[in-house]
Amino acid sequence: MKHPNGFTTRIVHSDRRSTVEHGSLHKPIHATVAYGYEDARELAAVFQGKQPGYTYGRQVNPTIEALQTKLDGMEDGIATVCFGTGMAAIGTTLFALLRAGDHMVSSSFLFGNTNSLFNTFDSHGIDVSFADATDVAAVAASITPATKLVFVETIANPRTQVSALQEIGELCQQRGLIYVVDNTMTSPYLFQPKSVGASLVVNSLTKYIGGHGNALGGAVTETGLFDWASFSNIYPEYQGGPAAKWGITQIKKKGLRDFGAALGPEAAHHIAIGSETLALRMTQQSRNAQAMCELLDAHPSVSQVYYPGLPAHPQHARAQQLFRHPGALFSFELRDDVDIWDFMGKLDVVVKSSNLGDNRTLAIPVAHTIYYEMGPERRASMGIADSLIRISVGIEDTQDLLDDLAAALG
Ligand SMILES: *Cc1c(COP(=O)(O)O)cnc(C)c1O
């Protein structure tokens, strides 16, 4: 078939671009760990990379390869590696590339578990500086002679700060730094980090790409924009072939081997099916989010709404310029005289749950759950009020969500 260009067309016809067993319309689930060969010389050739083929399931499986090809299409990448979770994708990628004594700059507005991981790095000899990534000057001021890499998210959770994605991309290019963008909150349908110069794109497949809250997964995609020949941490055995692929080869061959956080074929299948409706879901979810935020913004019981789709959001213009829609996650604060437990108790359609990126709308009282462990002082410094509620917006009919909010607010 010819190469179709539409985002969804590419995903749903991706498997057919190469021969699928028996003409199956879905890449089958290959529930196998190892692969047998008639001739041991063939097995050796596959091991030595002289012949394509499969060896052991920790690094390679046909079902997962099909998903990796889909992700390349979504992110306009040249190679993707999948992992068992989004955290495994981030941890393995950075551990495979950085060494003791290296320094990296990270956004200070991070998914909580990523923040925890980067604090762990410190005790393993990799220095991390946290900077306000909405401001390129703050990132630039954190760079040292030992800096190898900059890591940012697109839209932060829960307060929805939007990083200076374009400007940080230019900075990384000038300084020869690896630019890693966690695209989970926007998904490749709303934004392609390659367009701002990212060399590695991380996605938690658990969230919008899988979309149904039924499988965990993660991925890192190489865009081909970084010259890995200029990077001193690539081991000689991964320096074969085009330099654009050296980094992702080291992540796959060394990172996946050393840490073993492989994605399973059943989860890969769930995620591949889910990804077919990514564009449809994100469009409806963003539309719902905008309508809910407009209702809340105008309501006397609500004191603050954080959503890049609202004109008062500090990075509204940036979000409008970079993203197809402003996303499907927002947060808001209730006025002091409104009881948060009373409000949440009255929600009926909206589920009280911690995940995000599900088809169902989910709400969580942030300070009392995911940010509870860090204590009141850290919370205050991060702008997490006691009444802050995060909403991950689903695909329900808009009016049902608006009615649910209005009824709970009384
Ligand atoms: C959820 C999430 C992750 C981690 O993904 P898991 O699949 O839960 O491990 C990483 N980054 C962001 C922005 C996320 O929302």
Side-chain angles (χ1 to χ4, degrees):
M1 80 188 273
K2 292 188 309 231
H3 281 213
N5 285 319
F7 185 85
T8 296
T9 314
R10 261 187 287 140
I11 297 173
V12 296
H13 292 283
S14 166
D15 291 348
R16 289 172 56 216
R17 298 261 206 96
S18 46
T19 315
V20 185
E21 299 85 322
H22 312 295
S24 167
L25 288 184
H26 295 292
K27 187 71 181 176
I29 301 174
H30 286 260
T32 184
V33 170
Y35 307 82
Y37 292 86
E38 286 299 318
D39 184 337
R41 276 173 293 226
E42 244 189 296
L43 177 61
V46 172
F47 258 88
Q48 292 166 20
K50 292 174 183 153
Q51 182 184 314
Y54 299 95
T55 52
Y56 187 68
R58 196 189 313 116
Q59 274 151 314
V60 69
N61 173 292
T63 312
I64 288 149
E65 268 189 349
L67 176 61
Q68 288 172 168
T69 303
K70 277 196 178 68
L71 290 161
D72 280 339
M74 292 184 221
E75 289 289 8
D76 194 20
I78 60 169
T80 293
V81 181
C82 283
F83 300 87
T85 65
M87 288 313 301
I90 298 169
T92 306
T93 295
L94 298 185
F95 268 116
L97 296 178
L98 299 177
R99 301 191 190 170
D102 287 343
H103 173 259
M104 63 177 267
V105 181
S106 165
S107 168
S108 49
F109 309 118
L110 278 183
F111 176 64
N113 298 359
T114 307
N115 184 67
S116 160
L117 172 71
F118 290 173
N119 284 311
T120 304
F121 276 12
D122 244 18
S123 49
H124 291 265
I126 297 164
D127 291 328
V128 185
S129 297
F130 295 95
D132 175 354
T134 63
D135 176 11
V136 67
V139 174
S142 303
I143 293 173
T144 76
T147 307
K148 294 281 199 311
L149 177 152
V150 176
F151 183 100
V152 302
E153 296 181 1
T154 51
I155 305 176
N157 155 19
R159 284 277 309 268
T160 72
Q161 296 94 338
V162 179
S163 297
L165 293 157
Q166 179 86 49
E167 296 82 355
I168 296 171
E170 286 158 14
L171 176 72
C172 287
Q173 211 210 342
Q174 284 159 15
R175 305 291 186 91
L177 302 174
I178 302 165
Y179 187 23
V180 187
V181 175
D182 182 337
N183 198 29
T184 302
M185 294 298 297
T186 23
S187 90
Y189 182 61
L190 300 191
F191 177 62
Q192 278 185 341
K194 185 179 182 179
S195 68
V196 294
S199 45
L200 293 172
V201 181
V202 169
N203 280 289
S204 166
L205 307 175
T206 316
K207 311 291 173 51
Y208 298 102
I209 291 178
H212 296 68
N214 60 350
L216 290 156
V220 61
T221 299
E222 167 66 68
T223 64
L225 295 182
F226 186 72
D227 177 17
W228 293 92
S230 70
F231 182 62
S232 55
N233 289 356
I234 302 292
Y235 295 98
E237 52 270 44
Y238 308 123
Q239 294 186 8
K245 283 196 175 176
W246 292 0
I248 197 89
T249 302
Q250 182 157 308
I251 293 164
K252 179 175 184 178
K253 297 244 168 123
K254 180 123 182 81
L256 214 40
R257 173 169 71 217
D258 290 359
F259 295 104
L263 181 64
E266 290 87 357
H269 177 72
H270 279 303
I271 291 162
I273 300 291
S275 74
E276 295 186 356
T277 53
L278 175 60
L280 304 176
R281 288 183 282 106
M282 289 301 300
T283 301
Q284 174 70 7
Q285 285 167 309
S286 301
R287 186 183 299 142
N288 282 345
Q290 186 76 37
M292 291 168 86
C293 286
E294 285 168 10
L295 180 150
L296 291 168
D297 201 37
H299 201 285
S301 299
V302 174
S303 58
Q304 277 291 342
V305 184
Y306 303 102
Y307 182 59
L310 293 178
H313 187 283
Q315 292 94 36
H316 174 66
R318 180 180 288 162
Q320 276 203 313
Q321 188 211 328
L322 293 175
F323 309 147
R324 201 191 292 256
H325 303 297
L329 183 131
F330 68 86
S331 57
F332 66 101
E333 290 164 20
L334 294 165
R335 293 188 85 92
D336 289 344
D337 54 342
V338 183
D339 183 80
I340 186 170
W341 308 112
D342 186 47
F343 166 78
M344 292 208 60
K346 286 184 188 148
L347 292 170
D348 178 36
V349 176
V350 177
V351 186
K352 278 76 80 177
S353 174
S354 68
N355 191 20
L356 62 94
D358 197 314
N359 280 338
R360 294 145 196 78
T361 299
L362 312 173
I364 189 161
V366 176
H368 309 274
T369 55
I370 42 182
Y371 282 74
Y372 182 72
E373 200 182 288
M374 63 178 59
E377 275 162 34
R378 285 266 342 262
R379 280 202 295 275
S381 78
M382 297 178 75
I384 308 291
D386 283 351
S387 72
L388 188 75
I389 295 170
R390 182 188 81 190
I391 305 269
S392 166
V393 182
I395 60 168
E396 296 95 336
D397 301 280
T398 313
Q399 196 59 48
D400 288 332
L401 294 172
L402 297 181
D403 290 349
D404 205 40
L405 282 184
L409 288 167

